[in-house]
Amino acid sequence: MSDRSADKESTVISEEKGLRPKVSTTSTEIPECKLADDSLSKEPDSPIQNPSGDKPKAESSGMETIPEAGKAVHLTVMKHYVQTPNKAFGIACGFQCVLFVLFIVLTLGVGSDFLNMNTDAALHLWKNKWKIRIDALTEGEKIASKVMLTTGDQLQQEESRIPAGEKTYTLGITYNSKDGNILTKDKLLKVKEFEDFIVNHADYSKYCLRESGTAKCKEPTSIIRACVPSNCGYVQNLADTSGDVPEGCGSRITGGSTPATDCTAVKSYLAGIFQCTNADGCTRDKWTISKDFINTKTAAYASASFGADYPETDFLTLVDTQFGSGSTSASALMSKFQFGFPLAGFTSTSDRPEEQSKLVEDFLLDAYFDKLEAFNDDDDAPFNIGYSGGGLLDASVSALMTGDFALVAAAFLVVWLYVMFMTGSIFLSTMAMAQIFLCFFGGFFVYRIIFGSFFSTFHVMAIFLLVGVGVDNVFVFLDHYEAALQANDSYLTDTWGRMSWTWKHAGVAMGVTSGTTATSFFMNATSSFPGIEAFGIFAGCLCIVLYISMMFFWPAVVALNQVKFKHRPFCCGCLQVCAKVVPMLATSPDQAPQAPEAQDNSNPSSVPSGTSEEKAIPKPALVRFFEDHFSYFILNFRLRILIVYAVLIVVMASQLGGLEAAKEEPDMLPETHPLMQYGSVLSSKFLRGGGTSTTQVKLVFGFDKEPLDREGTDNTGTGNGADSDTKGILGTVQWNPNFVDSSGNANEEVVLRGFDCFIQLCDSAEVKDSARNTGGAPAYTMAGCFPRDVKEYLQTSDPTNWEARWASITGGDMTDLKSVISVLLSDTTWATEFSEHTFAEQSDDIAHNFFRYFVADLRLTSTKKIGWEAGNDLVAAWEAWLTTEMNKGECAAVKHEFWPFLSATDFHSFKVSETLMTEMFSGVMVSIIVALVVLVIVTGNIITGTVAAITIALIVMCVMAIIPMMGWTLGMIECIALVMVPGLSVDFTAHLAESYNQAHYDNREHRVIHALEHSGISIVSGSMSTSLAALCLLNCKIVFFQRFGILLLFTIGFAVVFSLGFFPSVMCLIGPTGSQGDWHKYLSPLLQLDFEGAKVLRIKATKKLRDGRTVVVTRIRSANEAGRES
């Protein structure tokens, strides 16, 4: 090492008059380069004298500070771009336009087989047994769509079974009072007015569910109804044939009792809140209501026991849990309007089901959608409504998406304006956005080949990834194009050489970021969730296609701009004015050197070898800021900066404990939307008897032990665009082989022999059990257990011979079973339940349909919101219960031929939540490890790559911490955002890591300055464009878009803060110097990077003298010293 005491300073005193001071080089020994004392200020514009005495080069633009050795670089691939820019642009642009046109043609011509647009997030576990069982039931209903024991064609709209595999065509409405109690006369009349609007529609009777055997529409399930007085005691008399009539009413089926004459009696049927005094019932316009009548009825209903008293239980089901146990007030009501199949002109529910579904959907949309959407906008309405049913959800989402996509277009416009302002070129900004837009379609073609046609709403968000990465690449290329003039001043007149140098160096910089970003996204191909897998593959394809476009399309744009538009005044000279207002953005065109009018780009030897000092290219102010000011701040306050980051890291890490997996599907709509109000009100206020939002466990008979074969299916569950009614898109159903004999005929003896086991399981399942979260009968009973109903009917109707008759039925007597079921079907409620739980096929060998499978279901006391840990315990308890039951009693004798399986949508949700959480952490870790490997490879340095990977990990951690801080849970939206975090984080940090490694200085201070000067402006420009696009998403109505925008802003914010603050601060302390960490040297010494000595310190220490003059101290190190240290 040299004697540091012998170091000498070369000091130049300059007057502050804007003159360019000179640095003396008279010293015989060049001292070692050191940073000035912290107390000194610096002068950013002071020049640096070349210590060798050679003619000075143009100052660096901040992109590449080391000139090319020897003559200029000329690449053959760039020759045609420069010589024939019009042709090159036409070919490159034409190719992308052809892909766009081909995309449109295939979309319109092939349809969903090519592009399967879907609102389904595909957030499921395709091979999970609970998902397989759910899909087996869906596929089973497509096959077994007949109603058991019916003959011939179904009557129009008599059966409530819907077209196989389709939506439930029940229009559900909730009414949520604004002031606490909705059971007042005025509000009830307002509810009736709303329901009259629905049922009085001219076409309502064409689609409504009919009363059994009649053309009359079934009354809505609602308390807004009046009884048929003559049916008072109807329910009790069905169950009690002895003729005992409830006090205050009678029924015609009792044979002589005097029927009630109004609806005042407690047991009036149907249960309602309106009065009717006509024995045979009243039409809706004849119903009356009064305050006294309301008080009478609510007092009677409020004192009833839910599940035991009928028809009071029907009333209690339709009011919220505020009502009852003596309370006669309710804050919310619910009602349902059912639509039946088959429609007129169709022979059965399976007759052209798509057409039937479309007819009902069109009716609901045309007749009711506008009023349902706008009702809550009326401030004078005494309640808010919620609704659900048919295709209304899709219609509402589509309506909101139309407005939100306009904001997506606005985001494009904002980014276009920003790029135009930064580049000073309408042509460049337009081509930049056109390139991003067209790459979307090129990326889809690659994705279509790799994955398939599935394209969900979430895929649209990848356009913001394209905007972020694409605009960043544009700025990187343009910055390198300007930096070429600093690398070799001959490029001022040598466009071929300039473009070649840019293509070479910018290609490496963009390749590092694009490669790491794409790899990060491709890692999601290992996800268990098809939706996340598809998004990751699609995003990775976009990154690759965008990089290819930047390498072969963008040079044509820049070359054409250089020839056609470069020297034209932008916006009538407004850029010059803007540059004066915002001097940090760019070098003004009037400051830029003008190239000669004529030049020979094809012959590099004809280009001048250099330019004079007077032609030095001025640096943009933002580059000077990073070089002279920001880097000075980082170098002098590195420890303090890292302490601040340490505090931030600790705070954010402490929030990770609150990160929980989502317990429900992601919401598409805002909480205030009527569709969301419906689910929210039901789940929070209608919990009696399990309500409609509690976990529903199904007991299913008729399938094989492996109920569905997935071979050859599309794991997104959309059948690559096939209609949802298409048989087999979810898999091939595998039936219980014992339900059909060796000849292929129905083996009804096996089915009926299992009825006692069926009853045993129903009775046992209803027993109150805290482990299985069952509430116990009568409030929580098993629906669909029809063999028990048949047996109970025999016990009451034929107490003498019921045992013999039951033994005959379980022995295979289908005739007697049919006779009993025919009687029970006279009760429309029982008939509906029976048709919803039994599934049959038509057989040629018997006169009626035969059982294919049947289902019984039970509502639990809990919901899926209990979390996946408690949910898994619940699943284990139910599985243990079934195993125990199948090995005892009646089930033990038939378990080898008559077996059930359990099915529950929430059981699958528990596993989804668990897998989301575990895969999120493992996926992020894998992405960071992959980023580490890629960064180490592309930077060529183990230390640099490791620090960069740690920086990315901290960015991901901070974004993850934002989720619980915002009160969110880890769902599909958050997972997709976290998928993007490593990719976007890699982009910025990789720029700095690559710049640090490419700096030819052999000390970390110079390298940090070089990295900030080289990449700072690109990071700021790229982050601004993505942030502007994300800001537009904050005004979206669709929750996914809005939340995605918030997470995207946080991602960009943390990425900028950590890449520009944390990473350079750490590199100032532990960054590699010389050849430290360079893994190339372990392969061969010839592969390691060369480091030049005699480097001028890029930061100048300045201080004020007493007389006001400024002293500029520049300290440099000699080549000999550098060689001795290395």
Side-chain angles (χ1 to χ4, degrees), residues 324-479:
S325 301
S327 173
T328 57
S329 66
S331 63
L333 307 175
M334 66 179 292
S335 59
K336 293 182 179 180
F337 303 82
Q338 292 180 285
F339 300 91
F341 297 86
L343 303 179
F346 298 85
T347 59
S348 68
T349 59
S350 56
D351 178 14
R352 293 165 289 159
E354 300 88 353
E355 294 184 32
Q356 295 193 62
S357 302
K358 185 67 166 55
L359 287 172
V360 175
E361 287 187 1
D362 290 345
F363 167 70
L364 292 176
L365 294 176
D366 295 339
Y368 308 128
F369 180 71
D370 291 340
K371 187 175 182 67
L372 292 171
E373 284 282 290
F375 187 89
N376 291 347
D377 295 334
D378 182 5
D379 294 333
D380 295 330
F383 49 81
N384 288 322
I385 68 163
Y387 71 86
S388 177
L392 297 176
L393 172 61
D394 291 342
S396 188
V397 171
S398 298
L400 291 179
M401 277 189 172
T402 301
D404 286 355
F405 280 140
L407 291 174
V408 173
F412 252 76
L413 177 62
V414 169
V415 175
W416 175 75
L417 291 172
Y418 172 74
V419 176
M420 180 177 64
F421 186 71
M422 291 294 292
T423 60
S425 171
I426 295 177
F427 177 72
L428 289 178
S429 59
T430 302
M431 288 299 101
M433 302 312 294
Q435 174 183 240
I436 291 171
F437 176 75
L438 292 173
C439 282
F440 191 88
F441 304 101
F444 177 80
F445 276 107
V446 179
Y447 162 79
R448 179 67 178 81
I449 295 172
I450 296 175
F451 187 84
S453 64
F454 176 74
F455 194 87
S456 74
T457 306
F458 304 112
H459 282 63
V460 178
M461 292 297 96
I463 194 69
F464 292 93
L465 166 70
L466 266 181
V467 170
V469 177
V471 172
D472 181 56
N473 285 345
V474 165
F475 284 127
V476 168
F477 194 98
L478 294 178
D479 289 342

Side-chain angles (χ1 to χ4, degrees), residues 1003-1038:
N1003 62 78
R1004 56 179 65 100
E1005 288 85 0
H1006 282 101
R1007 287 185 165 189
V1008 168
I1009 298 167
H1010 171 81
L1012 289 171
E1013 176 197 11
H1014 182 90
S1015 300
I1017 187 172
S1018 297
I1019 291 173
V1020 171
S1021 300
S1023 64
M1024 282 294 294
S1025 60
T1026 309
S1027 298
L1028 288 172
L1031 282 172
C1032 295
L1033 291 178
L1034 300 186
N1035 293 319
C1036 288
K1037 299 297 183 183
I1038 299 295

Side-chain angles (χ1 to χ4, degrees), residues 232-255 257-258 267:
C232 189
Y234 174 77
V235 176
Q236 286 69 32
N237 284 299
L238 278 179
D240 185 4
T241 58
S242 63
D244 294 336
V245 181
E247 183 179 356
C249 67
S251 176
R252 289 174 179 170
I253 67 171
T254 62
S257 297
T258 302
K267 301 298 181 182

Side-chain angles (χ1 to χ4, degrees), residues 631 634-636 638 996 1004-1005 1008-1009 1062-1071:
S631 57
I634 293 293
L635 293 179
N636 283 279
R638 64 192 84 173
Y996 183 95
R1004 56 179 65 100
E1005 288 85 0
V1008 168
I1009 298 167
F1062 178 81
F1063 179 77
S1065 297
V1066 173
M1067 296 302 284
C1068 284
L1069 293 177
I1070 63 172

Side-chain angles (χ1 to χ4, degrees), residues 300-312:
Y301 292 139
S303 60
S305 297
F306 179 81
D309 294 325
Y310 280 91
E312 295 95 321

Side-chain angles (χ1 to χ4, degrees), residues 173 175 190-200 220-225 284 334-337:
I173 309 289
Y175 311 90
K190 188 70 175 179
V191 174
K192 181 179 182 297
E193 177 186 331
F194 184 86
E195 295 192 359
D196 285 345
F197 164 77
I198 295 177
V199 300
N200 290 338
T221 304
S222 171
I223 70 167
I224 307 302
R225 61 188 177 189
R284 295 181 70 91
M334 66 179 292
S335 59
K336 293 182 179 180
F337 303 82

Side-chain angles (χ1 to χ4, degrees), residues 72-286:
V73 176
H74 292 83
L75 301 175
T76 304
V77 69
M78 289 292 103
K79 182 176 181 180
H80 300 292
Y81 284 93
V82 175
Q83 288 184 336
T84 56
N86 291 335
K87 180 179 178 181
F89 176 81
I91 294 174
C93 184
F95 177 76
Q96 299 216 55
C97 290
V98 167
L99 289 180
F100 172 69
V101 172
L102 182 61
F103 176 88
I104 298 299
V105 171
L106 290 174
T107 300
L108 297 177
V110 180
S112 58
D113 287 340
F114 173 70
L115 174 63
N116 177 22
M117 288 291 293
N118 206 294
T119 57
D120 186 359
L123 190 64
H124 55 240
L125 300 171
W126 190 242
K127 296 182 179 180
N128 176 261
K129 69 179 180 181
W130 300 111
K131 175 61 176 172
I132 290 175
R133 292 174 181 180
I134 293 169
D135 290 346
L137 290 174
T138 301
E139 286 292 333
E141 189 172 358
K142 297 176 186 179
I143 299 171
S145 58
K146 303 294 183 181
V147 177
M148 184 60 193
L149 300 181
T150 61
T151 59
D153 293 336
Q154 295 165 297
L155 297 176
Q156 180 191 344
Q157 297 159 241
E158 184 176 359
E159 304 298 342
S160 62
R161 179 75 49 73
I162 60 173
E166 271 299 323
K167 307 175 185 69
T168 300
Y169 286 105
T170 297
L171 175 60
I173 309 289
T174 59
Y175 311 90
N176 193 22
S177 176
K178 294 180 179 179
D179 61 2
N181 184 22
I182 199 170
L183 297 178
T184 65
K185 179 180 177 180
D186 292 342
K187 290 174 186 160
L188 290 172
L189 287 173
K190 188 70 175 179
V191 174
K192 181 179 182 297
E193 177 186 331
F194 184 86
E195 295 192 359
D196 285 345
F197 164 77
I198 295 177
V199 300
N200 290 338
H201 190 280
D203 291 332
Y204 181 75
S205 61
K206 295 180 181 179
Y207 304 96
C208 67
L209 177 66
R210 305 287 178 83
E211 294 282 2
S212 181
T214 73
K216 180 183 177 182
C217 289
K218 187 175 181 180
E219 285 291 333
T221 304
S222 171
I223 70 167
I224 307 302
R225 61 188 177 189
C227 73
V228 177
S230 61
N231 284 342
C232 189
Y234 174 77
V235 176
Q236 286 69 32
N237 284 299
L238 278 179
D240 185 4
T241 58
S242 63
D244 294 336
V245 181
E247 183 179 356
C249 67
S251 176
R252 289 174 179 170
I253 67 171
T254 62
S257 297
T258 302
T261 57
D262 59 29
C263 294
T264 306
V266 176
K267 301 298 181 182
S268 58
Y269 185 84
L270 304 165
I273 202 73
F274 280 77
Q275 174 66 287
C276 173
T277 57
N278 184 350
D280 293 324
C282 305
T283 58
R284 295 181 70 91
D285 59 313
K286 301 299 182 182

